[in-house]
Amino acid sequence: MTTLIEFSRCIAQYDPHALPVSAAQAIVRQWVSPVTAVERVPLRDALDRVLATDIVSPINVPSHDNSAMDGYAFKRAALATGNSADESAVQLTIVGKALAGHPFEGGIGVNQCVRVMTGACMPADCDTVVPQELVERNADATSIRFAANAVAAGANRRLAGEDLARGQVALRAGRIMRASDLGLLASLGIGEVSVRRRLRVAFFSTGDELRSLGEPLDPGSVYDSNRYTLFAMLRRLNVDTLDLGVVRDEPAALEAALRSAAASADVVLTSGGVSVGEADFTRQLLRTFGDVAFWSMAMRPGRPLAFGRIWSGERPGVGLPALFFGLPGNPVAVMVTFYQIVREALLLMSGATPQPLPVIHAKSRQAIRKRVGRTEFQRGVAEQDEQGIWHVTPTGSQSSGVLSSMSEANCFIVLGHDEGEIAEGERVDIMLFDGLI
Ligand code: AMP
Ligand code: MG
C-alpha cells in the first residue's frame, strides 16, 4: 500500500509546510477514485445524478427530414423557372398538405408544391421550403407565386439526424445530468439510465466550545454553524449526508466518532481540531488507524488541512476505508477549503468529470493587500456596469471567522499564488457564487 506521503512526494511543489493550492488539488485529484457501484434509475430520478456509461443514440433525431417553417415545400429545380427581379416569377400548384404527424404520401412535379407546417415530414423529393409570409396565393388558394430569390435552394429544411445521429455518443459517462439531458434522452426514447450510486459523506464538528441548536449558549461557547454549511454544500453536490453532531476535544470520543464514520461512509469530513495546538493530538490519534497528512496550505483562509484515508479498524488497512478531510474550524475557512479542495474530490469520487470553476475578470474598486506566495480567496461583491464591465469590491472584514462576509458576498476574489498587492482599478479574477454555492 503506497502511503500518502510517498505518493505526495512525486507531486511538483510538494511542501507540507506551505502547500500551494494547485499542488494540494493535484494530490487529491490523483489520490481519489470513483465509487464503482451503478444503479438503473427512471429518467426523472436521473436529474443531478452521474451518468455511469456513454449513451449512444439508437435513432436519428429528428427521424425524418422535416420543415422548419410553416410554408410550402417544393423541389429546388423550381427556382430555376423564375427570375429574381419578378416577385411572382416562380409559380407552383398546391397539390396537398403535410402536418406534423400527418405526412403527405404522394410525389410532386417540378411545378408543384405541398403546403407544410413546422415539423411536418418533407414530402418525397422536396428539399426546400418557402415560408408562407413570402408567397402570394391566388384567389382560390390553388397556387402560389414568389420571387426566385425569396429562398435559397435547400432552405428551411431540418435534416434527419441533425440533432443526434444514430450511433453517435449523445451523452458521455461522467456527466452530471441536467434538465436538457433528461429531455435529450427522452427524445431518443430512453426511459431508464445507469448512474453511479450516490456518495455517502459523514461529517461532524469538533470543539468543546461548540453547542448544537437548541442548547443554551453559556459564556465562551458558540453555536456550531459548520455542520449547517457543510450539510448545505454537500446537498448541492447531491451526495447522501450523515450528520454525526459535535464531538468533544477528547481522544477517545474523536477516535470512536472517526472509526464509526469510516464504517458507514465513503468520505469523512470534520471541522476544527487541525490548527496548530490542536493538531498534535489529532495527528497522533489518526496515525493509529489512518494514513493522513497534515498540511499547512499556502492559502487564505484555510491554512490547516488534514487529508488522507482512515479505517474503521484498529490499524490502517483494517476494516472499512474512507477518504478523510480534516477541515479548519473557522467558518469561512471551511467553505473556502470545501470549494477549492473537497468539492472536486467528491465529484471525482461520484464518478463525475468535474469542469473547472469559471473565473471572470473584474476591476477592483479598492486597493487590496496581498502577500506573494499564497492564494487568497477574499469575499467580494461584484456588479456589471452599463458597458458590461465587471467591478468588484471586497466585503468589509476578511477574517476567516466572519461568516457574514460569505452571505454578503456574491463572489470570491481569487488572488493567485504569485500575485502581490492589487492597486485600485487593477484587474482581478473573480469566481461568482451563482451555481457554486
Ligand atoms: P479550531 O480550528 O478548532 O481551532 O477552530 C478555529 C475557530 O473556529 C475557533 O474560533 C472555533 O471556535 C471556531 N469553530 C470551530 N468549529 C466551529 C463550528 N463547528 N462552528 C462555528 N465555529 C467553529
Ligand atoms: Mg477546536
Side-chain angles (χ1 to χ4, degrees):
M1 189 169 73
T2 316
T3 67
L4 182 57
I5 298 290
E6 287 159 4
F7 177 82
S8 304
R9 284 202 190 107
C10 307
I11 297 286
Q13 295 180 292
Y14 182 67
D15 174 2
H17 305 295
L19 189 64
V21 175
S22 56
Q25 287 168 336
I27 293 170
V28 172
R29 196 174 296 140
Q30 292 175 48
W31 187 249
V32 304
S33 45
V35 293
T36 50
V38 163
E39 58 198 45
R40 296 282 292 173
V41 295
L43 196 49
R44 285 195 178 99
D45 293 346
L47 185 65
D48 290 336
R49 300 293 300 270
V50 178
L51 203 56
T53 54
D54 288 351
I55 302 283
V56 174
S57 177
I59 54 170
N60 279 325
V61 179
S63 56
H64 296 91
D65 288 5
N66 66 83
S67 175
M69 304 287 272
D70 291 348
Y72 299 86
F74 58 93
K75 299 181 179 188
R76 67 175 69 200
L79 294 173
T81 63
N83 86 57
S84 344
D86 179 356
E87 295 213 337
S88 55
V90 182
Q91 294 205 24
L92 304 174
T93 310
I94 306 170
V95 295
K97 69 176 176 186
L99 307 177
H102 301 278
F104 173 78
E105 308 283 3
I108 69 161
V110 76
N111 292 318
Q112 296 179 323
C113 68
V114 174
R115 173 97 175 104
V116 288
M117 305 306 275
T118 306
C121 277
M122 288 295 279
D125 304 330
C126 291
D127 57 18
T128 306
V129 173
V130 57
Q132 60 188 21
E133 54 277 16
L134 298 184
V135 308
E136 225 178 84
R137 297 208 290 182
N138 69 344
D140 58 358
T142 53
S143 69
I144 57 166
R145 289 193 296 268
F146 57 94
N149 63 356
V151 284
N156 303 315
R157 174 179 56 156
R158 301 176 185 147
L159 298 175
E162 105 180 356
D163 187 350
L164 290 165
R166 182 195 321 209
Q168 181 190 333
V169 174
L171 293 175
R172 297 242 170 242
R175 179 161 183 95
I176 299 174
M177 299 284 285
R178 306 190 302 208
S180 54
D181 301 332
L182 266 56
L184 194 117
L185 292 184
S187 79
L188 297 178
I190 295 172
E192 215 184 66
V193 285
S194 295
V195 294
R196 300 264 184 171
R197 84 157 163 80
R198 268 206 187 89
L199 208 60
R200 273 190 293 276
V201 182
F203 58 95
F204 60 84
S205 299
T206 68
D208 290 344
E209 77 283 24
L210 301 179
R211 298 291 174 269
S212 291
L213 297 187
E215 290 176 0
L217 207 56
D218 42 317
S221 61
V222 293
Y223 281 123
D224 173 5
S225 59
N226 289 344
R227 262 159 61 221
Y228 290 84
T229 359
L230 280 172
F231 162 81
M233 294 188 294
L234 290 166
R235 257 303 162 82
R236 286 274 194 255
L237 293 183
N238 201 26
V239 300
D240 285 336
T241 55
L242 191 60
D243 182 342
L244 298 178
V246 173
V247 174
R248 301 182 66 78
D249 287 319
E250 204 178 273
L254 197 55
E255 174 170 356
L258 285 167
R259 284 174 50 189
S260 91
S264 45
D266 304 300
V267 182
V268 178
L269 303 180
T270 64
S271 74
V274 290
S275 54
V276 183
E278 286 182 312
D280 288 348
F281 104 81
T282 321
R283 193 189 307 246
Q284 246 177 13
L285 176 68
L286 279 168
R287 203 170 286 146
T288 61
F289 56 92
D291 173 22
V292 174
F294 281 72
W295 293 332
S296 182
M297 303 283 301
M299 166 174 172
R300 210 175 97 139
R303 221 156 73 86
L305 178 69
F307 170 70
R309 280 181 299 189
I310 57 173
W311 282 265
S312 61
E314 290 97 52
R315 290 191 316 280
V318 176
L320 295 165
L323 194 76
F324 172 74
F325 286 96
L327 306 180
N330 274 310
V332 182
V334 166
M335 295 193 76
V336 170
T337 320
F338 184 92
Y339 288 123
Q340 300 308 320
I341 312 283
V342 181
R343 177 181 172 276
E344 189 181 358
L346 298 185
L347 288 172
L348 286 167
M349 282 189 81
S350 301
T353 315
Q355 305 297 319
L357 293 168
V359 165
I360 60 176
H361 299 316
K363 285 179 152 189
S364 180
R365 291 214 189 268
Q366 285 175 18
I368 304 176
R369 297 184 58 185
K370 160 72 172 58
R371 218 177 65 196
V372 174
R374 67 184 183 202
T375 310
E376 293 197 14
F377 298 90
Q378 300 213 357
R379 275 72 67 212
V381 179
E383 92 280 0
Q384 239 176 336
D385 66 18
E386 280 113 55
Q387 280 83 50
I389 295 168
W390 284 92
H391 299 268
V392 67
T393 314
T395 59
S397 169
Q398 294 294 330
S399 154
S400 66
V402 177
L403 193 53
S404 56
S405 70
M406 280 296 294
S407 287
E408 192 191 324
N410 64 1
C411 67
F412 287 125
I413 305 171
V414 185
L415 304 172
H417 191 88
D418 299 320
E419 264 182 291
E421 305 282 312
I422 303 294
E424 185 186 330
E426 202 175 323
R427 198 182 82 174
V428 290
D429 285 344
I430 62 171
M431 206 177 257
L432 290 172
F433 287 168
D434 252 358
L436 176 67
I437 282 188

